[in-house]
Amino acid sequence: MPQFDAVLFDLDGTLLDTAPDFYAILAQMQRQRGQTPVLFEELRSCASDGTGAMLKLAFGSEISCEELEPLAQEFLTQYESAPVAQGELFPGIAELLRELESESVPWGIVTNKPRYLSERVLTDLNLSQRCAVLICPEDVSKSKPSPEGLLRAADQLALDARKCLYLGDHQRDIEAGRAAGMTTLACAFGYLKPGESAQDWRADHLVESSDALPDLIRELLA
C-alpha cells in the first residue's frame, strides 16, 4: 500500500526545466537592442522570481514600470507561442511519472504559473490527460506560499492533504506544503540562487539530482 495517495509538483524548476526557453527569448531581446546577453546561470538563478525579475536582470534593476510593461508583453508573447521549444522535463521525471501511473498514484501540479501558460506547457508535453489536477493562481485567492492551492488540489482529488507529497524547488513551495500538512520534498536541482541552500527550507526530504527522484519516490511510496 503506497504511503502517499498522491504526488503533487511545482511546475517550473521542479517538473520542467523552463530556463532554456526563458534564456533564448531574453537573449534575443537583448541582442535586438544591441546588448550582450546575460549569462545563462544568472538567468537560471532568478527564473522562479517571475518575468519582471528576469527582465530587470537583463535591462537593469532601475527600469521603470512604464518601460517594463511592453518588454514583459513582448517576452510573454514569444514564450506563449512556444513554451517548451528548448526546455524539457528534468531527467528522471518522465520515468517517475510513468511509475506513479503504473502504481495508480495520481499526480498533479500546483504552480504560480498562469493557467493559460501552464495548460499550453502540458499540451505541448502531452501531459494534459495524464495530470490529475492542475491548480494555478486563477484558482485561488492567495498563491504560494499560501497552502490554499495545495489544499484545493487535495480537495479536487478527494484526498486527505496529509496523505499527499509535494515537491518544489523554492522555499515558498516547502512553506506551502508544510502549512497544508503535506509531506514536502525540496528539489535542490531547481532554480536556486547563488549561495542558497535547500536544506534551510526544512523540508521533510531533499534531493540534489532529478535523476535520483524515481528511486527516492519509490522508497517513500513503499
Side-chain angles (χ1 to χ4, degrees):
M1 179 71 72
Q3 182 178 346
F4 299 104
D5 293 334
V7 177
L8 302 173
F9 300 86
D10 174 48
L11 185 53
D12 295 346
T14 301
L15 197 74
L16 174 69
D17 188 2
T18 327
D21 289 297
F22 288 162
Y23 183 76
I25 296 168
L26 199 65
Q28 180 185 29
M29 290 175 63
Q30 287 188 279
R31 292 191 187 99
Q32 289 173 342
R33 291 163 174 81
Q35 298 183 11
T36 300
V38 297
L39 297 177
F40 175 73
E41 287 305 318
E42 290 181 303
L43 179 282
R44 193 178 191 280
S45 68
C46 76
S48 288
D49 294 329
T51 303
M54 291 187 287
L55 289 170
K56 287 182 178 180
L57 172 68
F59 298 107
S61 59
E62 301 303 317
I63 190 171
S64 68
C65 292
E66 292 76 14
E67 294 172 307
L68 192 62
E69 186 174 348
L71 290 172
Q73 187 57 54
E74 178 182 344
F75 181 92
L76 289 172
T77 298
Q78 292 192 49
Y79 177 65
E80 182 182 3
S81 68
V84 283
Q86 298 187 37
E88 57 187 354
L89 296 176
F90 280 104
I93 293 293
E95 176 187 348
L96 171 58
L97 298 183
R98 287 194 298 269
E99 184 151 342
L100 291 174
E101 291 162 357
S102 71
E103 295 294 328
S104 298
V105 176
W107 63 268
I109 295 168
V110 180
T111 176
N112 284 350
K113 195 184 194 78
R115 175 167 288 277
Y116 80 101
L117 290 173
S118 298
E119 289 180 343
R120 176 63 190 275
V121 165
L122 292 181
T123 297
D124 287 2
L125 292 172
N126 296 314
L127 294 177
S128 296
Q129 301 305 313
R130 297 167 61 187
C131 180
V133 62
L134 172 64
I135 301 296
C136 299
E138 297 89 336
D139 303 310
V140 296
S141 60
K142 294 181 180 179
S143 295
K144 296 178 291 183
S146 166
E148 183 181 350
L150 291 170
L151 294 172
R152 183 175 291 273
D155 184 63
Q156 288 192 11
L157 293 170
L159 297 175
D160 185 341
R162 294 171 297 180
K163 293 288 287 180
C164 297
L165 174 67
Y166 186 55
L167 287 71
D169 73 305
H170 195 281
Q171 184 171 353
R172 63 173 169 258
D173 298 320
I174 305 307
E175 290 177 359
R178 286 205 312 267
M182 296 184 179
T183 299
T184 55
L185 196 165
C187 298
F189 55 81
Y191 302 148
L192 277 67
K193 293 178 172 56
E196 185 177 13
S197 172
Q199 293 182 342
D200 296 335
W201 305 343
R202 297 187 295 126
D204 297 296
H205 305 279
L206 183 147
V207 63
E208 296 285 350
S209 167
S210 62
D211 285 318
L213 272 176
D215 285 342
L216 176 58
I217 301 298
R218 193 177 299 117
E219 293 176 10
L220 294 177
L221 290 175

